[in-house]
Amino acid sequence: MYVLSTVSGQRTPTISHITQEQIKDIGSQVDLDCSVHYAQEYPVLWLKYDQMKSTQSLPLSMNSGLIIRDSRFSLRFDEASATYTLSIKDIQETDAGWYQCQVLINANSKITGEVELQVRRPPIISDNSTRSIVASEGESAKMECYAGGFPMPKISWRRENNAILPTGGSIYRGNILNIASVHKEDRGTYYCVAENGVGKGARRNINLEVEFSPVVTVPKPRLGQALQYDMDLECHVEAYPPPAITWLKDEYALSNNQHYRISHFATADEFTDTTLRVITIEKRQYGQFKCRAQNKLGSDEGVVELFESVIPVCPPACGQARYGAASVGKASELITVVGLYVIWRR
């Protein structure tokens, strides 16, 4: 908007032309033109100012000379067209803003024209975006993603390996991804992607942890083994947070001793394989064993039945029979036992 004022006996200066809005890339150059007529006796200035705080302005040039000392800025004056050209090279993000051409009439009036310089900036994901989230199964979960840059970036969501999103489909667009009721299958890495056509865009990996009660599965519910041999009983446990795992026989908790050896192997944050080795099996050790897993959200258990067999099972009983304190670790003896059993069956 131009502000006009008259001076007695002289024609009023006018700004006949000013460059329109400019959109530039970082590192490029821009020329801002201001053509002024009837202003030979008046100061003509270029300023950078804040529209929100109009009192805060930075004078850049006066008439045909620069005021600031910055090698990126230069000023040209063309007498024929009465045009003052402010040039900025190697444009930086901080150069974005409003530039004003002023003709000072007197202490109380001036003529002005404005042009906005917008600088394209690649997306930068804001710090107030979600980094990770933990939710219990059945609860709602909200992941937020915001980004700065120019033009304003658009936000989209994807999952690792292009898995289907809980909202349906492989892509969701918007700043907020809401999951009304999370399931354990929803856990994993989500990608917040910000794109505005400048550069390669920006991406943030957001990890969703879903807490859920244990699920116990038994790969082999019934196992047979001969007396005085070892046998491994196994359970697979899926749970988060990691559960406490207990093995029981006749509802009594077992511990590591000369009869049992318990081991746990975590294959991932949510998966644990647990093994109970029954050592040198005695008659009283046949029967049902339970593996029980419990965390703050609940518990589950699996049952493995160990029964007596005549033929030793390998593994783990591969030629290592034990009779009391004596050890007979010979494959030939195992073959003899099998042969006798076959003859007896005939």
Side-chain angles (χ1 to χ4, degrees), residues 40-60:
Q40 292 86 350
E41 306 299 324
Y42 299 93
V44 179
L45 294 85
W46 271 108
L47 306 93
K48 185 182 180 187
Y49 78 106
D50 187 339
Q51 271 200 331
M52 304 299 294
K53 301 175 182 177
S54 57
T55 56
Q56 295 185 7
S57 60
L58 174 66
L60 303 173

Side-chain angles (χ1 to χ4, degrees), residues 119-193:
V119 179
R120 292 189 186 94
R121 306 184 305 280
I124 298 177
I125 295 177
S126 306
D127 289 338
N128 61 342
S129 300
T130 305
R131 291 187 178 275
S132 62
I133 186 170
V134 178
S136 296
E137 193 167 30
E139 292 182 346
S140 62
K142 180 170 73 171
M143 289 179 277
E144 302 180 61
C145 188
Y146 304 97
F150 183 82
M152 180 62 68
K154 294 180 179 179
I155 303 296
S156 61
W157 296 84
R158 297 175 177 84
R159 284 188 74 177
E160 191 174 21
N161 299 322
N162 284 322
I164 299 299
L165 292 163
T167 52
S170 58
I171 299 177
Y172 177 81
R173 302 188 188 281
N175 293 96
I176 299 175
L177 179 65
N178 272 313
I179 306 174
S181 178
V182 298
H183 303 283
K184 63 182 180 181
E185 294 79 16
D186 299 330
R187 67 187 184 273
T189 302
Y190 289 72
Y191 301 138
C192 157
V193 181

Side-chain angles (χ1 to χ4, degrees), residues 214-223 233-238 243-252 254 272 274-276 287-294 299-306:
V215 177
V216 176
T217 55
V218 179
K220 296 179 181 178
R222 296 187 77 247
L223 291 167
L233 315 182
E234 297 179 5
C235 283
H236 300 326
V237 181
E238 185 181 8
I245 300 174
T246 308
W247 280 93
L248 304 100
K249 175 76 165 67
D250 301 325
E251 294 304 321
Y252 288 99
L254 304 177
T272 303
T274 178
T275 302
L276 171 69
Q288 288 189 341
F289 291 80
K290 290 182 180 178
C291 55
R292 181 175 296 162
Q294 183 171 7
S299 65
D300 193 23
E301 61 184 32
V303 177
V304 185
E305 182 182 356
L306 177 62

Side-chain angles (χ1 to χ4, degrees), residues 4-8 13 41-43 102-111:
L4 302 179
S5 175
T6 58
V7 178
S8 178
E41 306 299 324
Y42 299 93
Q102 286 187 2
V103 182
L104 300 181
I105 306 301
N106 55 46
N108 299 313
S109 62
K110 59 188 176 183
I111 301 170

